[in-house]
Amino acid sequence: MFGRFFTPKNQDTERVPPGQVLTEKFPVLTYGPTPSLRPEEVRLEIYGQVEEPKTLSWADLQNLPQSHLTADFHCVTRWSKLDVQWGGIRIPDLMQQVRLKPQARAVLVHCYGGYTTNLTLDDFLREQNLLAHTLFGQPLPRDHGGPLRLVVPHLYAWKSAKWVRGLQFLDREELGFWEVNGYHRRGDPWKEERFSD
Ligand SMILES: Nc1nc2c(c(=O)[nH]1)N[C@H]1C(S)=C(S)[C@@H](COP(=O)(O)O)O[C@H]1N2
Ligand SMILES: [Mo]
């Protein structure tokens, strides 16, 4: 289903979390239908435990600092892809636009199509996390979450929400779609946090 798998080369072993197998392809993994959105239609709503709710348009997002990220991508279904090249807005740069209330502890990420996933504020505010619109130098393909997706490289890829439309800040963690359905609330691939106990 995912094409040719191969065992890690020696120099890659330390980059491949336990129980994962490398693939050179970039599989698509989506639960449910694939939303179809033109960039101009995209809105990012930021609400909940913030001093002032905001709605960012595509143009607003393009006006923020743009960054590149090369990161490994680990799906809980056991495939990993190394060195995925993303472009977009770093979460710390996005968050320059937002004043969180002191009681904010977590975020529930909402997607076009209804998918959700939860992150603690700590996991969300990482330097490496990206709101991505570009993949390998091209506009992010629709099936990989285009026009806009989250990339959270230090956690399993189900946290990297595709077709993002909202960031809801919360005073305590609320579980997202897969987390309600038995996946781990955090999902650190190095600790094999695949499922909740
Ligand atoms: N909106 C949405 N985001 C999603 C998913 C989804 O079904 N819907 N699947 C997740 C899972 S399980 C994985 S492994 C990655 C896959 O990203 P890809 O399809 O670009 O490889 O997206 C994540 N983000
Ligand atoms: Mo996944």
Side-chain angles (χ1 to χ4, degrees), residues 29 73-77 79 115 156-158 178 183:
L29 225 96
F73 198 76
H74 310 293
C75 174
V76 71
T77 65
W79 56 267
Y115 185 91
Y156 282 122
W158 86 78
W178 280 123
Y183 281 14

Side-chain angles (χ1 to χ4, degrees), residues 45-92:
E45 312 261 2
I46 301 175
Y47 59 103
Q49 298 294 334
V50 294
E51 297 295 348
E52 198 188 324
K54 282 212 167 147
T55 303
L56 300 184
S57 68
W58 189 253
D60 294 333
L61 293 166
Q62 300 302 314
N63 284 330
L64 295 177
Q66 305 294 310
S67 301
H68 294 284
L69 167 73
T70 299
D72 303 340
F73 198 76
H74 310 293
C75 174
V76 71
T77 65
R78 297 184 182 272
W79 56 267
S80 288
K81 181 171 176 60
L82 301 182
D83 294 324
V84 183
Q85 293 174 30
W86 305 100
I89 299 119
R90 283 193 192 278
I91 294 300

Side-chain angles (χ1 to χ4, degrees), residues 26-31 73 75 79 111 115 143-144 149 157-158 160-163 178:
F26 196 173
V28 167
L29 225 96
T30 304
Y31 183 89
F73 198 76
C75 174
W79 56 267
C111 302
Y115 185 91
D143 53 0
H144 283 299
R149 82 176 297 169
W158 86 78
S160 292
K162 304 194 277 190
W163 315 292
W178 280 123

Side-chain angles (χ1 to χ4, degrees), residues 132-162:
H133 51 61
T134 300
L135 176 63
F136 293 111
Q138 300 295 323
L140 182 61
R142 183 177 158 220
D143 53 0
H144 283 299
L148 193 68
R149 82 176 297 169
L150 188 64
V151 179
V152 181
H154 70 291
L155 298 177
Y156 282 122
W158 86 78
K159 300 289 187 182
S160 292
K162 304 194 277 190

